[in-house]
Amino acid sequence: MSEPVLDIDGLGVHFGRRARRQALSGATLRVAPGEAVGIIGESGAGKSTLARAVLGLAPVSAGTVRVLGRDVARLSRRERREFGRSGLVQYVFQDPLRSLDPDRTVEAAVAEPLQLQGELSRAEIAEAVRRQFLAVELDESLLGRFSAQLSGGQRQRVAIARALVAGPRLLILDEPVSALDSANRVRILRLLQRLRATTDVTLLFISHDLGSVAGITDRTIVLYRGRIVEDGPTAQVVTAPEHPYTRLLVGSAPTLRSGPVDGTERARLRAELLVP
Ligand SMILES: Nc1ncnc2c1ncn2[C@@H]1O[C@H](COP(=O)(O)OP(=O)(O)OP(=O)(O)O)[C@@H](O)[C@H]1O
């Protein structure tokens, strides 16, 4: 097998005074080049902490996180800066305003990763930005706008264009459609499907909604209270979930439900999970 893009081994992350609050425990995950992995879990399960650990931004208390062969929790400042500049790992947030500077045009925002890479001329960057705009179905006439002048769906497409323009190997999408209305949600999910069909970028798609990741990912992991409780092909997780939490999730997603989870079954699963 070629070198994994992501190789997480026994990862533990703790927060708080004397590191008492355990956000992740014993997480082990290998992601091969070109794989698209969904990370599912309820609020507080540890999804964003896992993503932050991949970016080298979480207080790792146990285990290792290797991204494209680099031990990201142990990079020097210089190595971290260089890794950031390379643009090899990109992140798309739920709220695109977090990645877009309100005082710069969206053209400047999308150009920035290419400027940081420092490999292309100004004219080449302008052309690459234009092409990336079209690839995410944004009209060129929007290039000179500021993010506040765009709709939520347009802004998220700008954030995706910015994340893709420098040719990342790993793209982390953290709840990318949760804040959008259903028409824009469908549009972004289609865009991600096309991205999968036309590039070999590796995807980590974080969501609390199994339905959103089901059409995009080959594999799904389920986090529950800081632990990976399920890891398998998405089709299998959706049709034959093993962990009680995953069974509850599948049972409450009308588009995924293979068989009805009635009130009695739901109560039984909740009791198994000790959910109040
Ligand atoms: N910076 C922090 N300081 C203290 N505790 C934190 C910090 N970041 C996360 N946590 C805690 O770690 C646990 C996991 O949080 P995390 O944000 O990873 O969950 P999540 O699955 O992404 O949830 P959500 O869907 O609500 O974003 C939670 O108990 C959270 O309160």
Side-chain angles (χ1 to χ4, degrees):
M1 177 180 151
S2 50
E3 184 185 55
V5 171
L6 187 59
D7 190 356
I8 299 178
D9 190 21
L11 174 66
V13 176
H14 290 75
F15 289 106
R17 243 166 28 111
R18 297 204 209 134
R20 273 214 205 112
R21 185 182 293 176
Q22 193 159 25
L24 278 178
S25 174
T28 293
L29 173 68
R30 278 183 139 219
V31 179
E35 244 190 314
V37 178
I39 300 175
I40 297 291
E42 63 190 355
S43 184
K47 307 180 296 294
S48 298
T49 302
L50 184 64
R52 289 176 65 77
V54 173
L55 296 172
L57 298 175
V60 169
S61 52
T64 51
V65 183
R66 300 187 79 82
V67 181
L68 297 163
R70 294 162 181 83
D71 185 346
V72 291
R74 294 178 182 84
L75 295 179
S76 68
R77 252 188 198 194
R78 209 183 95 231
E79 287 168 333
R80 185 176 305 286
R81 206 168 43 238
E82 274 166 17
F83 194 40
R85 251 190 218 151
S86 72
L88 289 170
V89 180
Q90 294 286 346
Y91 200 102
V92 170
F93 297 96
Q94 173 176 344
D95 176 3
L97 292 176
R98 278 181 71 181
S99 45
L100 301 174
D101 180 343
D103 297 326
R104 305 182 74 191
T105 64
V106 292
E107 179 176 24
V110 177
E112 191 177 56
L114 292 172
Q115 285 160 349
L116 286 174
Q117 270 183 341
E119 286 167 13
L120 300 182
S121 69
R122 275 174 75 161
E124 286 167 331
I125 289 178
E127 176 54 20
V129 169
R130 202 187 61 82
R131 260 188 282 122
Q132 193 60 63
F133 243 63
L134 297 178
V136 298
E137 300 168 4
L138 283 170
D139 196 278
E140 278 179 74
S141 64
L142 301 177
L143 280 165
R145 301 256 180 105
F146 294 90
S147 54
Q149 298 171 307
L150 302 182
S151 72
Q154 287 171 332
R155 275 202 289 264
Q156 195 56 300
R157 276 179 277 143
V158 170
I160 292 174
R162 177 183 156 91
L164 291 175
V165 75
R169 295 277 311 280
L170 174 63
L171 177 60
I172 304 173
L173 303 149
D174 195 348
E175 303 272 11
V177 296
S178 308
L180 303 177
D181 61 37
S182 61
N184 275 306
R185 189 173 302 176
V186 168
R187 198 158 178 191
I188 297 270
L189 291 175
R190 277 214 206 103
L191 191 76
L192 295 174
Q193 273 168 342
R194 212 175 52 238
L195 180 71
R196 289 228 56 211
T198 54
T199 72
D200 59 0
V201 68
T202 305
L203 288 185
L204 284 190
F205 187 153
I206 297 173
S207 179
H208 61 274
D209 172 30
L210 191 48
S212 295
V213 307
I216 313 284
T217 59
D218 325 293
R219 178 176 158 205
T220 295
I221 72 164
V222 179
L223 275 172
Y224 184 70
R225 298 188 178 174
R227 291 181 182 274
I228 295 179
V229 295
E230 191 134 356
D231 178 354
T234 300
Q236 190 181 312
V237 170
V238 166
T239 54
E242 284 181 7
H243 191 269
Y245 173 65
T246 324
R247 274 156 45 211
L248 261 180
L249 260 185
V250 172
S252 37
T255 50
L256 294 174
R257 201 177 297 169
S258 44
V261 174
D262 62 18
T264 319
E265 172 70 348
R266 197 179 302 278
R268 202 185 58 70
L269 290 169
R270 283 193 187 280
E272 229 176 292
L273 283 166
L274 296 174
V275 174

